[in-house]
Amino acid sequence: MTIPYIEYTNSHRLQEVDSTNNYCKSTKVKNGEWVTAEQQSNGRGRGLNKWDSLGRGNIFFSAKVQIELDKIPSLSLVSLLVGSATLRTIHNYAENREEFSLKWPNDIYRMNKKIAGVLIEASTKNEIVELIIGIGINLIFDSGKENLNYATLYETEFDRNQKEKILHKLVENINIIMQKIYSRNITEELTWIEYNSYLKDKMIQARVNKILINGKFVGYSPDGFLLLYTESGIVTLIDTDPDFKIN
Ligand code: BTN
């Protein structure tokens, strides 16, 4: 098996689809190909969440990548690192980089509102994991959608012509991240993520095993879990239960 790689020129361009992740799972899409749609009618988020569409022309992206099972440290880490590739892409096209950050486990924020999300789905057959890497990025609001609780990258319709360049950069940055995962060379990336974390310097309240704990953000474990410094030492928060409050 070769290093996982998405080929920018191998894309499926759709006008409208329920969810690019659903389409990407089908046999129409081969390993290393990706899907984008102008409009997504039933976008999915993590767990039971939905990804509300801000309208036609925003970024709805999914890629299919196969990788050997023993090359994947944990899905949480892959999700965090794909979040990092997304944040790097946004930084590339944003005027004020410092407004954008990564909110564990998989959200990109602009100031205090969500601008992008990552949904990774995985299935395993014969020791090979097939990853469906889904990313939604809000470029601009369509009229009537402004009151949704999201942020956007741009304000004017004119800026939408950046979309193709952003998609290109996104593919490039995911490829860089997949290489790093494959060669287990992620220490520097985790430091970068910690530096660009929305939770940095914040106090966090979470429920772990039904017990309420308060702690300060310390960073991430090598598996991509959140580490909090609490009265009783370092506590690890895993992303299957990411319900937490920022104080
Ligand atoms: C989340 O915020 O929990 C993740 C949101 C992921 C949304 C993207 S949009 C493209 C792809 N298709 C989907 O149905 N979901 C992802």
Side-chain angles (χ1 to χ4, degrees):
M1 181 126 211
T2 50
I3 297 177
Y5 186 77
I6 305 165
E7 192 61 67
Y8 171 69
T9 49
N10 286 348
S11 62
H12 298 242
R13 311 272 175 163
L14 311 173
Q15 272 309 311
E16 184 163 345
V17 70
D18 57 343
S19 150
T20 53
N21 263 32
N22 291 353
Y23 189 93
C24 199
K25 276 183 203 164
S26 77
T27 49
K28 289 181 214 144
V29 180
K30 307 267 176 312
N31 180 27
E33 296 182 351
W34 58 284
V35 182
T36 188
E38 282 303 307
Q39 174 67 298
Q40 188 176 247
S41 55
N42 199 12
R44 292 184 291 108
R46 282 166 51 96
L48 297 175
N49 294 339
K50 281 179 64 159
W51 176 254
D52 292 317
S53 169
L54 294 191
R56 188 165 281 280
N58 284 290
I59 288 186
F60 311 106
F61 168 95
S62 301
K64 185 179 272 183
V65 176
Q66 290 176 353
I67 183 168
E68 290 108 312
L69 183 59
D70 61 359
K71 297 284 186 194
I72 297 204
S74 81
L75 264 192
S76 316
L77 185 68
V78 176
S79 185
L80 187 67
L81 292 171
V82 169
S84 155
T86 309
L87 179 60
R88 284 183 183 277
T89 306
I90 289 173
H91 273 181
N92 237 278
Y93 291 94
E95 269 179 27
N96 304 315
R97 284 181 176 206
E98 58 291 343
E99 287 182 6
F100 299 85
S101 59
L102 208 159
K103 180 166 176 273
W104 183 84
N106 68 333
D107 294 339
I108 311 295
Y109 266 44
R110 177 174 193 172
M111 315 282 270
N112 292 314
K113 284 184 171 181
K114 184 161 165 170
I115 182 173
V118 174
L119 172 66
I120 300 207
E121 298 179 276
S123 59
T124 310
K125 214 195 246 172
N126 303 330
E127 304 291 298
I128 303 289
V129 183
E130 183 171 279
L131 297 173
I132 305 295
I133 299 174
I135 299 169
I137 305 176
N138 297 329
L139 297 184
I140 70 166
F141 288 110
D142 233 10
S143 56
K145 303 273 185 179
E146 293 87 346
N147 55 355
L148 285 177
N149 205 21
Y150 286 116
T152 58
L153 187 53
Y154 299 123
E155 278 80 42
T156 64
E157 190 62 39
F158 170 77
D159 292 310
R160 246 204 251 271
N161 59 22
Q162 297 281 55
K163 186 173 154 185
E164 194 54 42
K165 288 189 202 149
I166 300 175
L167 283 167
H168 197 167
K169 197 74 189 166
L170 188 61
V171 168
E172 199 176 292
N173 283 338
I174 297 171
N175 281 335
I176 294 172
I177 282 297
M178 294 312 291
Q179 284 220 7
K180 287 188 178 174
I181 294 174
Y182 202 79
S183 54
R184 298 202 182 252
N185 171 24
I186 54 165
T187 317
E188 267 180 28
E189 196 64 24
L190 279 183
T191 308
W192 189 85
I193 295 172
E194 276 166 14
Y195 181 76
N196 286 285
S197 181
Y198 180 78
L199 302 176
K200 201 171 59 173
D201 304 324
K202 295 200 163 89
M203 286 299 293
I204 291 152
Q205 189 176 73
R207 207 171 274 281
V208 178
N209 298 333
K210 297 192 178 153
I211 298 166
L212 212 54
I213 55 156
N214 286 291
K216 197 167 176 193
F217 169 80
V218 197
Y220 304 99
S221 73
D223 286 334
F225 300 141
L226 184 67
L227 301 175
L228 296 182
Y229 183 74
T230 71
E231 268 181 349
S232 39
I234 302 274
V235 170
T236 308
L237 224 61
I238 58 171
D239 72 343
T240 44
D241 186 22
D243 266 343
F244 58 85
K245 247 175 57 188
I246 299 166
N247 288 328

